Amino acid sequence: MPTFKHQSTGKRFLFIHIPRTAGRFIGANLLKNDCECEQGEGDSLWVMRNRVELPHYHREYYEKYLDVEGIPHITVVRNPIDRFISCSIFLSELYGDNLEELLEDPMMFSSMLQNFPSTESVNWFRPQVDFISEKTHIWKFEWGFSNSFGVWLSDIVGVDIKMRKDMPVAKLPTDESKKVKRSDKLIDNIKSLYRKDIEQLYPELAA
């Protein structure tokens, strides 16, 4: 859901949708607030362009392929350990019951992510720092999405945004219950993979 245009005022903004950071929920709320996604909706939006799902474009791609110059950039980031655990539903579908043991091995962990075969999920495991720039206004997933998020968003984009907690969101065709369990070895591997995310966004996880 990259660029939006408020239909009443004409104001435009870029919503950088980092996977597993409540992006579909936020996008649904934006649509209900008179904001139109300029790349389309539904099936017309969730397509592969330049070998990446369009709503999940990272910085290199949205700056190259979308008209984002001079408009507000917003995004939500998430604790990289929690985000990886949430993303692991895709890995579970591919690797099955022994996934947790494989992910605890540093070499297998790296190899599995580098050779992940599902093209639709290319950016699911990409570090969050690859999505943001010095222009990006950042909200943290852990802060929640109540009225304070709506106020923050409204101030940035220049239109009044009201958030609905009960906003229905289309479910992914994956089993959300099939997430890997946390372990010390797995967390060490996740921290190594997302070292820059931790340094720039969650320094409290460095210890």
Side-chain angles (χ1 to χ4, degrees):
M1 305 159 198
T3 60
F4 281 86
K5 183 176 182 179
H6 189 250
Q7 297 180 53
S8 300
T9 65
K11 292 183 179 293
R12 300 177 64 246
F13 59 95
L14 169 68
F15 172 39
I16 305 164
H17 181 180
I18 301 174
R20 307 309 279 182
T21 60
R24 287 173 295 133
F25 167 75
I26 296 168
N29 267 283
L30 291 173
L31 293 175
K32 286 294 184 180
N33 277 271
D34 200 28
C35 297
E36 179 181 24
C37 183
E38 296 182 312
Q39 284 71 40
E41 295 180 28
D43 293 341
S44 66
L45 174 63
W46 289 96
V47 295
M48 298 291 290
R49 294 188 184 175
N50 309 296
R51 302 181 69 183
V52 173
E53 279 186 322
L54 193 153
H56 291 159
Y57 271 8
H58 51 291
R59 177 183 178 180
E60 177 187 356
Y61 275 26
Y62 64 69
E63 289 185 344
K64 181 177 182 180
Y65 297 114
L66 302 178
D67 178 17
V68 300
E69 187 64 31
I71 62 175
H73 295 192
I74 61 169
T75 198
V76 174
V77 298
R78 186 177 185 180
N79 176 313
I81 298 171
D82 293 339
R83 177 174 174 251
F84 182 91
I85 298 296
S86 182
C87 287
S88 69
I89 54 174
F90 278 105
L91 294 170
S92 296
E93 290 189 344
L94 289 171
Y95 296 104
D97 295 337
N98 64 339
L99 172 62
E100 290 169 7
E101 181 179 348
L102 294 172
L103 288 175
E104 288 183 349
D105 181 285
M107 292 190 66
M108 285 300 300
F109 179 90
S110 178
S111 177
M112 290 166 69
L113 296 182
Q114 289 177 3
N115 299 292
F116 194 60
S118 177
T119 54
E120 290 82 358
S121 307
V122 166
N123 272 3
W124 277 55
F125 297 98
R126 181 182 287 275
Q128 296 174 86
V129 293
D130 289 355
F131 290 86
I132 64 178
S133 72
E134 66 283 352
K135 301 175 184 178
T136 311
H137 297 271
I138 296 173
W139 183 268
K140 290 191 173 182
F141 183 94
E142 296 76 22
W143 297 339
F145 301 98
S146 60
N147 291 338
S148 57
F149 176 76
V151 171
W152 173 83
L153 186 57
S154 299
D155 287 344
I156 294 169
V157 302
V159 297
D160 187 27
I161 303 292
K162 301 293 185 184
M163 297 296 293
R164 281 181 48 190
K165 292 183 179 180
D166 61 343
M167 181 63 65
V169 177
K171 293 184 178 180
L172 293 172
T174 49
D175 187 346
E176 292 283 344
S177 69
K178 292 186 176 180
K179 298 171 184 174
V180 296
K181 296 179 181 178
R182 296 167 184 260
S183 70
D184 291 341
K185 291 181 179 179
L186 174 58
I187 290 175
D188 285 344
N189 290 338
I190 296 172
K191 284 185 175 182
S192 178
L193 175 66
Y194 297 120
R195 178 180 53 82
K196 290 184 178 179
D197 282 355
I198 291 172
E199 290 176 352
Q200 296 186 35
L201 302 170
Y202 289 86
E204 65 273 16
L205 297 177

